[in-house]
Amino acid sequence: MERCFTFAKSDFKRFFDLMSSFGAVQAPVRVSDLSFSFKSVTSPEQIAFEALRTILPPKKFFYPQQEALIEFDREGIRQVEVDMSPKVIFGVHPCDLAGLGIIDKIFTAEPADSHYLARRAATLIVGLSCLPDKHCFCQSMGTDTPSSGYDIFLTDIGQSYFLQVHTPAGLTLVESATSFIKAAETNDRHCYKQFWHRRADLFEMGFEGENLPAVFDMEWDNPLWEELGKRCLSCGNCTPVCPTCYCFDLVDIAALNNDTGERQRQWDSCQFVGFAQVGGGFNFRPTPVDRFK
């Protein structure tokens, strides 16, 4: 489904209250001169509308860095219940929506991850348009426009927001606020198209993505790999900030009294030295260069 509406920017406080009626609102917040992070907000004034990218992508809300899956004691083993508190994630850009689409495919494939599904069902995603800077390359990846993964998407068309509704949950919320949200008219749709055409011309970075697997195969021994690999610290910080990385490890942690414990899922990284190590001590990717490739 796709229904289109508009509301005046001057009514954004009312839209924020509407989102808050669904659940706690998470949005980009400035945390340093150069950094932004998705955090809980209680007013529009806290939102950093200028944020292009955040320290961690929205995947952190559905796939936490660390979580207990089961707990055990001398009485038996129990699955840990996931927090089902409703929330709204506001300000998700098209590239992050595409990233969430990849994470969705991973965790909803059979056997689907029950924790992930529960968090996804309890969350409303409200996307927001943006303008690219010199580092943005989503246009080359075909992820520069919203196509799926959102309940509501807002596009800045000047004095108003053009509002697209993509799911029944989004429509239910919007239809409860007809006092300030109105059906889009012909001029609104024209302004919407103008915005996305103008935005497409603003990208400075790009590349041709055709036949990349064959190109990478041909360049396997390129000296550039050595140069880049030697700069890698194998700290693994690149994978948590990646919107599509999903590797994890399972760790059993017993209490000191040996009576209780839990099995945790923790984010892992293909850049860690032990990631590709197997029984017998053999490592398929022993050096930073191997892991970087």
Side-chain angles (χ1 to χ4, degrees):
M1 64 177 298
E2 193 74 26
R3 298 274 298 277
C4 301
F5 303 83
T6 62
F7 69 91
K9 284 185 177 179
S10 57
D11 283 325
F12 185 81
K13 176 62 168 63
R14 299 173 72 180
F15 183 75
F16 183 87
D17 292 341
L18 181 65
M19 292 191 294
S20 299
S21 69
F22 181 91
V25 179
Q26 313 286 328
V29 172
R30 183 179 288 276
V31 293
S32 74
D33 290 342
L34 299 174
S35 302
F36 303 89
S37 178
F38 277 104
K39 291 183 176 294
S40 180
V41 295
T42 55
S43 71
E45 291 73 26
Q46 296 174 278
I47 300 175
F49 288 89
E50 71 276 18
L52 273 182
R53 53 193 68 86
T54 52
I55 297 172
L56 290 179
K59 71 177 183 182
K60 71 176 185 178
F61 293 110
F62 310 107
Y63 167 43
Q65 292 169 280
Q66 177 178 303
E67 66 171 322
L69 300 180
I70 60 174
E71 56 187 13
F72 49 88
D73 54 28
R74 294 187 181 276
E75 302 300 320
I77 301 172
R78 296 170 299 280
Q79 180 175 333
V80 176
E81 295 299 322
V82 66
D83 179 16
M84 287 285 289
S85 302
K87 65 170 63 69
V88 177
I89 305 177
F90 172 80
V92 183
H93 297 320
C95 54
D96 271 330
L97 288 174
L100 274 179
I102 300 296
I103 299 296
D104 280 347
K105 289 181 181 179
I106 298 301
F107 287 101
T108 61
E110 292 297 330
D113 187 283
S114 59
H115 283 207
Y116 186 88
L117 292 178
R119 293 189 179 100
R120 204 70 165 92
T123 304
L124 195 79
I125 295 181
V126 180
L128 180 66
S129 65
C130 56
L131 295 176
D133 65 8
K134 63 180 181 180
H135 303 294
C136 293
F137 59 91
C138 55
Q139 189 177 60
S140 297
M141 304 299 295
T143 60
D144 56 319
T145 56
S147 58
S148 62
Y150 62 89
D151 297 283
I152 296 170
F153 194 92
L154 304 184
T155 297
D156 185 339
I157 58 171
Q159 299 301 312
S160 303
Y161 282 114
F162 189 91
L163 188 156
Q164 293 166 270
V165 175
H166 196 65
T167 65
L171 184 61
T172 298
L173 193 71
V174 168
E175 288 184 335
S176 68
T178 55
S179 60
F180 70 96
I181 297 179
K182 306 297 181 183
E185 298 180 353
T186 301
N187 185 59
D188 300 318
R189 297 174 187 272
H190 176 70
C191 292
Y192 170 83
K193 294 175 184 177
Q194 278 190 321
F195 171 87
W196 290 101
H197 283 308
R198 185 174 71 254
R199 179 181 182 272
D201 294 332
L202 295 178
F203 284 88
E204 301 178 35
M205 178 180 286
F207 60 89
E208 297 296 329
E210 289 80 6
N211 209 24
L212 275 180
V215 172
F216 271 89
D217 282 343
M218 288 188 291
E219 298 297 334
W220 185 258
D221 296 318
N222 193 308
L224 181 64
W225 290 116
E226 287 287 335
E227 177 187 336
L228 296 174
K230 288 177 180 178
R231 291 163 53 186
C232 177
L233 302 176
S234 297
C235 64
N237 278 338
C238 55
T239 45
V241 302
C242 173
T244 60
C245 283
Y246 57 86
C247 290
F248 60 83
D249 198 3
L250 292 175
V251 182
D252 288 335
I253 301 176
L256 292 176
N257 61 13
N258 206 33
D259 284 340
T260 61
E262 62 183 23
R263 173 165 292 178
Q264 288 187 358
R265 173 164 60 193
Q266 303 174 355
W267 283 4
D268 202 356
S269 172
C270 57
Q271 300 305 302
F272 290 157
V273 64
F275 185 84
Q277 185 168 325
V278 297
F282 182 79
N283 198 324
F284 287 92
R285 300 172 186 165
T287 71
V289 176
D290 298 318
R291 296 189 291 276
F292 194 85
K293 282 185 181 180

